[in-house]
Amino acid sequence: MQKELSAPGKEDYLQPLPSDACESVFVSNKINERWTNRGLKEISEGKVALLLMAGGQGTRLGVPYPKGMYNVELQSGKCLYQIQAERVRRQEQLAAEMYGSSKAIRWYIMTSEHTKKATVDYFKSNGWFGLSEENIIFFEQEMIPCTSLDGKVLMDSKFSIARAPGGNGDLYRAMGNEGVLQDMLKKGIRSVHCYCVDNILVKVPDPLFIGCCLDRQSDCGAKVVSKAYPTEAVGVICECNGNWKVVEYSEISSETAHMVDSEGKLLFSQGNICNHYFTTSFLTKMIEGKESELIHHVAKKKIPTINSFGEKTVPDKINGIKMEKFVFDVFQFSEKFTVLEVARNEEFSPLKNPPGAPKCSPETCLEDLSNQHKRWIIRAGGTFKNEGLCEISPLVSSNGENLEELVKDKFFSLPLHLEVTKNGYHNGHNGTNGLHSKL
C-alpha cells in the first residue's frame, strides 16, 4: 500500500514509491540466493550484457585522462577499469561453476570524443584485462556546443567551438546510431546491466539484481541506497505526476525531504546510484520510439574557453552551460518498474572529487573498498592483528564468496593483498601471511 504524504504543499505531485515496486536485499537470504542463481543462469546462457557509461573526463579529479583509468592507490595498482573487468571474469567463472559452462558477457562501453581513443588504447595496452577483445565494444556519444551563462557560444580555440558530451542520457541515441542495440539483439541479449564508471564498489554484472528483475518480469529497474540523512545531496526515485522519476535533491523542499511514515522512516529515502537494469525489448522501445521525448537539462559548469586575446583559459568559477540528458529519464516509460534497495557500504562509493576532498575522493574510495574486504574476511572466519589496508582481487572473490577455506581460523597482519597467481592464491603484500591454496 502506498503511503500518503502527511501534509499538503507545493510538492503534492511527488509521491513515495508504492511498496509493490520495491524490493530489498535485507529481507531474505533465501530470496537473495534464488535471485542470484537465476541471474547466474542468465549469464551462463549468454543473455547478459554490461552497459558502461564512461564518456566523462577526469577533470574534477585533476587528471587529463578518462576517469576509468584512475588508480586510487590500491596495493595492486589496479584502476577502475581493471577492477570491473576482473569482476566480469569472476561472474563468468561463477556461472560456469554452477551451470557447467558459461558464454561470455558482452561489455559495451560508451565513450566520448574526449575519451574514446585513450580508453581503447588503454584496454589494448593492458591485454583487454584478460577478457576477449571481441566482447568489448566501444561506442561514442554525441558532443553538444557549450554556451556562456547569457547564451553566447563559447569558443575552445579561435577556430573551434567548445563542446561537451550530451550527458549519460545520450546513451540511447548513441546505441541506435552506432549499432549497439542491433548487436545486442543479434547476440540474443535479454538483460542489460547499466552503470557509471566511477563507483569503485559496483557489482558488474550483479546476478542478484538481474535475477530480481527477471523474477518480477520487469522491463526496467534501479538500485537505490537509503539516504544517509534527509537533505543528502542525492537524487531520489519517486512517483511524479503518476510516472517513475528521479527528482534531484535541489528540487525537493526541506519540509518534504524530512517527511516520515508512521514508523518514523523517511518517505523519500530511495537514493539513486545510477545503477540500472533494462531488457533489450525496453531499450528497443526507447531507441526506436521514445528517445526523442527525452529533454535536455541545463548544467552550469566551469568550461575552458578562450579569452579576448585568443588564449585558452580555465575558469575558477562557473562560466557556462552544458546541455545534458539523463539516463534515468526513461523510467517514466517503464511498464513494470523495480527498485532494489542495497547496502551502501557494499555497493556505493563514487569517485568524484580530487585527492584530499572529504567525500567521494580517492581516499574515501580506497577506505570503503578496504573496509568491505575486511568485513568479508571477518565474516569468513578470519581475524586481523592490527589496523591497515586490505585488498582482495575480484578473481578471488567478487562478493565475499570463496574465502572460508582460505581464511577461517587464521590471523592476518595488515596490509593484506589477496591475489590470484598461476600457482594459487597469495598475499601480494609482504609475504604469504599463511595463505596457500591451489586454484
Side-chain angles (χ1 to χ4, degrees):
M1 177 69 71
Q2 180 171 314
K3 304 179 180 71
E4 297 295 331
L5 295 183
S6 59
K10 67 176 182 179
E11 293 162 323
D12 281 354
Y13 58 88
L14 299 181
Q15 292 287 328
L17 289 171
S19 58
D20 61 5
C22 302
E23 298 286 358
S24 173
V25 300
F26 303 109
V27 173
S28 167
N29 289 334
K30 186 175 181 180
I31 292 176
N32 290 347
E33 183 179 357
R34 185 184 79 216
W35 286 340
T36 299
N37 291 345
R38 182 159 189 186
L40 287 172
K41 183 171 178 59
E42 188 87 342
I43 291 171
S44 73
E45 294 174 349
K47 296 178 180 178
V48 170
L50 279 176
L51 195 51
L52 168 59
M53 295 173 287
Q57 298 169 281
T59 307
R60 282 175 62 183
L61 283 171
V63 296
Y65 49 81
K67 191 182 291 186
M69 293 164 56
Y70 198 93
N71 166 27
V72 300
E73 301 301 327
L74 290 173
Q75 298 173 74
S76 64
K78 295 174 184 176
C79 67
L80 296 177
Y81 283 141
Q82 182 170 356
I83 295 168
Q84 293 166 22
E86 292 185 358
R87 288 172 181 162
V88 172
R89 291 168 60 189
R90 179 62 180 161
Q91 292 307 316
E92 290 176 345
Q93 181 184 9
L94 290 173
E97 288 175 357
M98 177 163 287
Y99 293 103
S101 64
S102 179
K103 295 183 179 179
I105 297 165
R106 287 182 79 76
W107 194 5
Y108 300 89
I109 302 176
M110 184 176 75
T111 62
S112 69
E113 179 182 290
H114 294 312
T115 64
K116 185 174 183 180
K117 185 179 186 305
T119 301
V120 174
D121 289 348
Y122 190 71
F123 269 75
K124 186 175 182 179
S125 66
N126 283 279
W128 310 99
F129 300 112
L131 294 168
S132 171
E133 177 183 356
E134 67 179 14
N135 288 313
I136 304 176
I137 298 90
F138 298 93
F139 64 108
E140 194 172 319
Q141 69 180 120
E142 187 178 30
M143 301 291 285
I144 296 178
C146 302
T147 68
S148 64
L149 296 175
D150 58 0
K152 297 178 181 178
V153 174
L154 293 177
M155 300 299 293
D156 184 61
S157 73
K158 291 181 179 180
F159 307 104
S160 62
I161 62 175
R163 299 185 303 156
N168 53 28
D170 189 50
L171 173 74
Y172 310 106
R173 183 210 60 80
M175 288 180 67
N177 287 355
E178 303 218 4
V180 171
L181 176 63
Q182 294 88 331
D183 186 76
M184 288 181 175
L185 297 175
K186 180 180 178 181
K187 295 296 183 180
I189 303 297
R190 174 169 60 178
S191 298
V192 180
H193 189 171
C194 177
Y195 68 102
C196 283
V197 70
D198 59 8
N199 180 8
I200 199 169
L201 297 183
V202 67
K203 297 180 179 179
V204 285
D206 182 6
L208 186 152
F209 184 35
I210 293 167
C212 172
C213 291
L214 286 171
D215 206 38
R216 289 173 50 85
Q217 298 182 326
S218 293
D219 58 1
C220 181
K223 286 189 180 184
V224 297
V225 296
S226 291
K227 292 173 69 175
Y229 51 90
T231 57
E232 182 181 7
V234 60
V236 175
I237 301 181
C238 59
E239 277 197 75
C240 179
N241 292 326
N243 293 318
W244 313 113
K245 185 176 180 181
V246 176
V247 180
E248 292 301 319
Y249 66 92
S250 58
E251 299 175 315
I252 301 178
S253 68
S254 178
E255 179 184 9
T256 300
H258 281 84
M259 284 182 172
V260 297
D261 62 18
S262 59
E263 298 177 354
K265 297 179 181 178
L266 290 175
L267 283 174
F268 296 95
S269 64
Q270 289 93 347
N272 177 49
I273 61 173
C274 207
N275 195 316
H276 310 313
Y277 169 91
F278 304 118
T279 62
T280 46
S281 60
F282 178 80
L283 289 172
T284 300
K285 179 176 73 172
M286 280 305 311
I287 293 166
E288 296 183 353
K290 297 292 186 180
E291 195 278 332
S292 61
E293 297 182 32
L294 300 181
I295 63 172
H296 280 94
H297 302 264
V298 172
K300 296 181 179 180
K301 304 280 188 176
K302 299 175 183 178
I303 303 172
T305 186
I306 60 173
N307 59 22
S308 57
F309 299 102
E311 301 166 334
K312 187 72 169 287
T313 61
V314 179
D316 56 7
K317 61 181 180 180
I318 291 173
N319 69 322
I321 292 173
K322 296 179 180 180
M323 300 301 294
E324 300 177 341
K325 290 183 178 181
F326 296 155
V327 64
F328 47 72
D329 280 348
V330 301
F331 292 173
Q332 62 183 303
F333 302 112
S334 174
E335 296 178 6
K336 178 65 174 178
F337 189 56
T338 290
V339 171
L340 178 65
E341 182 187 6
V342 298
R344 181 187 294 253
N345 66 350
E346 290 292 332
E347 299 212 31
F348 187 53
S349 180
L351 178 62
K352 303 287 188 184
N353 300 316
K359 296 180 180 179
C360 303
S361 68
E363 293 89 348
T364 59
C365 287
L366 177 62
E367 180 180 19
D368 290 343
L369 187 68
S370 176
N371 288 340
Q372 179 190 63
H373 292 178
K374 283 188 277 190
R375 288 193 301 272
W376 291 355
I377 286 179
I378 292 171
R379 192 166 68 219
T383 303
F384 295 108
K385 302 176 183 178
N386 61 320
E387 295 296 320
L389 293 175
C390 180
E391 180 184 352
I392 301 172
S393 167
L395 298 175
V396 176
S397 180
S398 62
N399 194 33
E401 81 287 345
N402 194 42
L403 292 176
E404 189 168 336
E405 65 176 297
L406 298 176
V407 306
K408 188 175 182 180
D409 299 326
K410 294 181 181 179
F411 294 85
F412 301 98
S413 296
L414 295 172
L416 174 69
H417 171 205
L418 183 55
E419 191 57 80
V420 171
T421 69
K422 293 182 179 179
N423 297 318
Y425 308 113
H426 83 286
N427 178 16
H429 184 93
N430 202 21
T432 64
N433 229 338
L435 294 178
H436 295 283
S437 179
K438 294 291 184 182
L439 283 169

